[in-house]
Amino acid sequence: MSIEIIRTIKDYRAAIIAAANEEVKRQRFVALLQALFGNMQNAKPIIEEFIGGAETVVTKIKRHGKRSGLGRADTQYRSVIIEFENDLSKTREHAKDQLADYVSGNWNSGSVYDFTLISSDCLEWRVYVPDIDSIPPGQIISASSVKLKERTIFTLTDANCLEFYYFIDTLLFKTKKKKPTLNAIKNDFGDGSNVFITATAQLTTYFESAKHSGEVAVAYEQWKRFLSVAYDKFDSSERVFLVHTYLSIFSKMLAYEVLTQDDFIDEQETRDILTGDIFDRLNIRNFTDNDFFHWVSKDDALEALKPVFRAISAEFGDFDFTNIDEDILK
């Protein structure tokens, strides 16, 4: 199987090098997708999007959970935007501008950010993420203000054909679950990831509406006071507090997922994870006691922050947590 995949991709690379223009290259790429993934049920509608012929391809990709009908994937979709170019070395900035325009339009509409941004000439592939500081929550932004950071660069050669197969699969189809390595966890949940962008935006919006209320205000002040004693000098901004809040939510949900491999984390389970009650029932003590972030488990916060919990839980569906050999909570 691997030999056949490598041969197919080598033929594709040779055809791309010989191609005269962007349209021919895109057609060659579609043919490659059909050859490699055409028999996979979840890949067919995505390939149809490419066959449609749009210069900028926007695909709605359904994530597949572990259990039909109940899996976290049944309500989660990701849009993949690919800006095709004939020669990326000459028009790389143009491609970035087009992607930035799409980000600004989506952000201004108030939609949850859940996109994969790619520019490609079918040999070189560049994956971008927006700089979170350039897309502040609740503000209208222009495309020119959006700053994109390169997250991944992959250039196809004859020596890395099999890696290219898994690279494309991860970007578009996710037919194979990922091993939860430290790097994979950082890529999918760390600064610049879709989950992080969604979470910090939702946390900021809620915090702005609740930061003068008793519990949230007290939590923030206690956090500042404790860290001033522990570290003397540190950034006590609201933004850092909300990043710490996100890390607290993520680490609790990750710990629960690693322990249980739960297919679907419902609202009551989410509440119990955030309060720590669920860990008490699992005989894990003192894991979440009296931290600064209990305010996210209150009724108003739970309702407002549903997109955060869903985004984290949905991303867990891409991983196989039965096979862990690194300290992924670092």
Side-chain angles (χ1 to χ4, degrees):
M1 180 64 177
S2 295
I3 294 174
E4 183 178 344
I5 289 173
I6 291 171
R7 184 186 303 115
T8 300
I9 294 176
K10 281 186 176 181
D11 290 344
Y12 158 81
R13 180 173 181 271
I16 293 296
I17 292 172
N21 55 56
E22 172 190 328
E23 178 58 24
V24 173
K25 290 183 177 182
R26 194 186 65 81
Q27 291 175 1
R28 292 289 188 181
F29 180 63
V30 172
L32 178 72
L33 295 183
Q34 290 174 312
L36 296 179
F37 304 99
N39 292 328
M40 300 178 184
Q41 192 62 37
N42 61 314
K44 290 180 179 179
I46 300 168
I47 295 172
E48 287 297 322
E49 291 280 349
F50 287 92
I51 294 174
E55 180 181 359
T56 300
V57 177
V58 182
T59 68
K60 296 263 184 207
I61 296 180
K62 185 172 182 178
R63 296 169 179 263
H64 287 261
K66 302 173 188 174
R67 187 169 54 192
S68 177
L70 288 177
R72 58 177 60 88
D74 293 327
T75 57
Q76 296 293 329
Y77 291 79
R78 168 179 291 176
S79 292
V80 178
I81 302 99
I82 304 179
E83 184 68 20
F84 285 106
E85 301 288 332
N86 185 48
D87 185 347
L88 210 55
S89 67
K90 297 179 179 178
T91 56
R92 187 175 301 143
E93 291 306 311
H94 166 74
K96 283 180 67 175
D97 289 344
Q98 294 294 102
L99 293 172
D101 186 60
Y102 197 90
V103 170
S104 67
N106 173 78
W107 196 255
N108 293 337
S109 73
S111 301
V112 171
Y113 185 86
D114 194 20
F115 296 92
T116 301
L117 309 173
I118 306 166
S119 65
S120 178
D121 57 13
C122 294
L123 289 180
E124 181 181 330
W125 297 77
R126 291 179 177 259
V127 184
Y128 296 94
V129 295
D131 184 337
I132 187 66
D133 291 330
S134 72
I135 49 173
Q139 298 184 24
I140 300 299
I141 60 173
S142 64
S144 60
S145 69
V146 176
K147 294 181 175 61
L148 298 182
K149 302 185 293 185
E150 288 178 347
R151 178 175 177 180
T152 306
I153 302 173
F154 191 105
T155 302
L156 176 61
T157 68
D158 276 344
N160 62 10
C161 290
L162 195 57
E163 289 88 342
F164 181 69
Y165 171 81
Y166 290 111
F167 173 75
I168 293 298
D169 180 39
T170 299
L171 281 182
L172 300 183
F173 306 118
K174 298 183 181 293
T175 61
K176 312 225 180 262
K177 288 189 177 292
K178 291 184 280 189
K179 184 176 180 180
T181 63
L182 183 58
N183 281 337
I185 293 293
K186 285 169 60 179
N187 283 336
D188 286 7
F189 297 97
D191 183 14
S193 67
N194 289 355
V195 175
F196 180 84
I197 291 170
T198 294
T200 52
Q202 296 291 325
L203 283 165
T204 299
T205 299
Y206 178 75
F207 184 79
E208 286 299 318
S209 69
K211 65 182 180 181
H212 299 299
S213 67
E215 187 153 8
V216 177
V218 168
Y220 179 48
E221 290 304 316
Q222 288 180 336
W223 171 82
K224 286 201 296 185
R225 189 178 305 117
F226 176 82
L227 290 187
S228 67
V229 172
Y231 296 108
D232 188 21
K233 293 182 179 181
F234 72 101
D235 183 353
S236 61
S237 65
E238 293 176 356
R239 184 181 186 280
V240 174
F241 176 66
L242 294 178
V243 170
H244 284 195
T245 303
Y246 164 71
L247 292 173
S248 172
I249 295 169
F250 165 67
S251 62
K252 292 168 187 174
M253 293 184 70
L254 177 62
Y256 175 75
E257 183 67 23
V258 170
L259 288 168
T260 66
Q261 280 90 57
D262 193 346
D263 278 353
F264 182 71
I265 301 176
D266 62 28
E267 290 185 27
Q268 185 58 51
E269 286 174 319
T270 299
R271 183 192 299 272
D272 290 347
I273 290 168
L274 298 175
T275 61
D277 292 346
I278 209 160
F279 296 105
D280 289 339
R281 295 199 293 272
L282 293 169
N283 294 316
I284 298 173
R285 309 297 178 188
N286 303 318
F287 182 51
T288 63
D289 291 357
N290 300 317
D291 65 16
F292 306 112
F293 314 108
H294 265 52
W295 56 273
V296 300
S297 65
K298 305 307 177 183
D299 289 343
D300 288 349
L302 276 173
E303 181 64 27
L305 298 176
K306 279 182 180 179
V308 177
F309 312 135
R310 288 171 179 165
I312 294 172
S313 178
E315 199 71 28
F316 286 157
D318 290 343
F319 288 89
D320 176 9
F321 287 107
T322 64
N323 181 21
I324 301 175
D325 54 18
E326 294 185 44
D327 181 0
I328 56 177
L329 276 175
K330 281 182 179 178

